[in-house]
Amino acid sequence: MIWNEKIECATRDEMRSIQSKRLNDTVQRIYHAIPYYRKKMQEAGLTPHDIKSVDDLKKLPFTTKADLRDNYPFGLFTVPMSEIVRLHASSGTTGKPTVVGYTRKDIQMWSEVVTRSLCMAGVHHHDIVQIAYGYGLFTGGLGIHYGTENLGASVIPISGGNTTKQIQLMEDFGSSVICCTPSYALNIAEVMKEQGVNIKNLKLRVGIFGAEPWTEAMRKEIEDKLGIKAIDIYGLSEIVGPGVSCECEHQCGMHINEDHFLPEIIDPETLEPVAPGEMGELVFTTITKEGMPLIRYRTRDLTRLIEEKCACGRTLVRMVKCKGRSDDMLIIRGVNVFPSQIESVLLQMSEVEPHYLLIIEREGTLDTVTLMVEVQEQFFSDEVRKLQELRMKITRQLESTLGISVNVKLVEPKTIERTAGKAQRVIDKRLLI
Ligand code: DLL
C-alpha cells in the first residue's frame, strides 16, 4: 500500500516544483527569524530572492553540528517556545547534546513520513507493532509510535531492553512487526534461541531496523534467525528522527521523503556536489519544518542516490544503505577502514557470531588493531588446533579485504556486551590519549 500516492508517485517535475516553492518559503522564514542564518547568508552575499528554485540550493551555506552546539539549546528555533510542543535531543558522545524542537505541525509531518515508511515496509493497520526503540529524548521510540498510531495499527510501546519480556509479549500478543536497532534484533534472536523459542510459533513477519549502520550480510542473518523481512529505516534527530527515508518491500534503497527533506550528495573534502549517482556525504535541507528548519545540514553519513523509479511504483529518490559515517572512518596506518567492511567479512563465516569489538591502539608511532569476535558455542568447545585455524582464516580474510593486519582474538559467546540501543563496535584508544 502507498500512503500518499500523489506525492510518493509524483513526476520529477511535480516534485521539483513542490520543492522549489517550499525551499523559497523556508529561506524567507529563517532569514527573517534567525540572526545567525541571516548573518551567514549576508556573508555569502545572499538574500532570500537569490533562492528561487532547487537549483539555487548550492549557493546556500552549510549547517553543521557545530552550528547547533553554538546555538545551544534553542538558538536555531524559528518560533517562540509557546509554539514548541516537543523537545528531543541526541546524546552527543562529546560535549552538549543536540536539541530539536517541534511545533504541532512538525509532529504531524513527522507522523506522516513515518506512516509512509511503515507502508513502504509493508505494514498494515491490522498489524501489531512492537516498538523496542528507546522512548525518551532519543527520537526512535516516540517517532515510530506516532506514525504507527496514525496508520491505525496497534502499538506495543515496550521501549528497548528487557529482552525476556520482549519475547514473552511477542508470543502472547502476537506481534507481527518489530522495530528496534539491528544489533538489538540479533540480541533478541540470540535470547530466543537460548530459551528454545520456535520462531514458527510467532506471528512476526516484518522488522523495521535503523539508527545505526548495518550491512547486507547482517540483514540476511537477521532475516534467517527471526524468519522475517528486515527493512532499513533511516533518520537523524536534527532533521526529524526516523522516517527521513525507508526501504520498500523491494529492499533496493531507502525512499527519501523528499517533499519534506531535500537531499544532496557532496564530496566531504571539496564540499562540491558529486556527479549524479556517486557516493559522498548526505546533506539535507528541511523544507516544511517550522520549529527548527535546517539548511544544507551535513549529516556525515556516506551514501549515494538512485533517481530511477522503483519497482514499487514510487518515484521518491532512493539512498542506498549507508556505508558508515565519514567520521566513523578509521584511518589505520594510513589506510581507510570502515567497521562495515569488517562486519561483512565476519558474517560470511559460519563459525563466528555477529558480535565483535574493534580496539585501536597506538604503540609508539604504530597503530595496532585488535578484533575481538565471538565464536559459536559448538566451535568454542572444540580443539585448540581448530580454533587456531579459524583465527588464521579470519586474519587472512581481513587482511585481504582491508589491506592491513589485524590481531584477531576469538572469545567465548556472550563476552561482548549487548545493548538494547545503538551498538558500540569501535573503541579508538588513540583518541583518548
Ligand atoms: O538514530 C533516528 C532513528 C531512530 C533512525 C530509529 C532510524 C530508526 P540519531 O540518534 O540522531 O537519530 O542518530 C542519527 O544514526 O546520522 C546515522 O549516522 C545513523 N543512522 C540512523 N539510521 C541509520 C540507518 C536516529 N538506517 C544517526 N543506517 C545518523 C545507517 C543510520 N545509519
Side-chain angles (χ1 to χ4, degrees), residues 130 132-134 158-166 184 187-188 419-421:
Q130 184 158 332
Y133 284 113
I158 184 164
S159 194
N162 205 343
T163 312
T164 308
K165 180 91 169 258
Q166 300 273 359
Y184 190 51
N187 191 349
I188 295 177
T419 56

Side-chain angles (χ1 to χ4, degrees), residues 388-399:
Q388 191 57 17
E389 274 168 15
L390 175 60
R391 204 177 73 81
M392 287 315 294
K393 183 169 133 189
I394 301 174
T395 309
R396 273 197 304 272
Q397 195 63 41
L398 283 173
E399 200 165 328

Side-chain angles (χ1 to χ4, degrees), residues 84-98:
I84 296 288
V85 299
R86 176 101 63 85
L87 293 167
H88 279 284
S90 77
S91 56
T93 37
T94 51
K96 298 219 171 79
T98 310

Side-chain angles (χ1 to χ4, degrees), residues 351-353 373-377 379-380 387 390 410-411 413:
E351 302 92 332
V352 298
E353 294 282 354
V373 59
E374 288 183 11
V375 180
Q376 287 210 348
E377 195 79 54
F379 286 97
F380 205 79
L387 278 179
L390 175 60
L410 302 178
V411 297

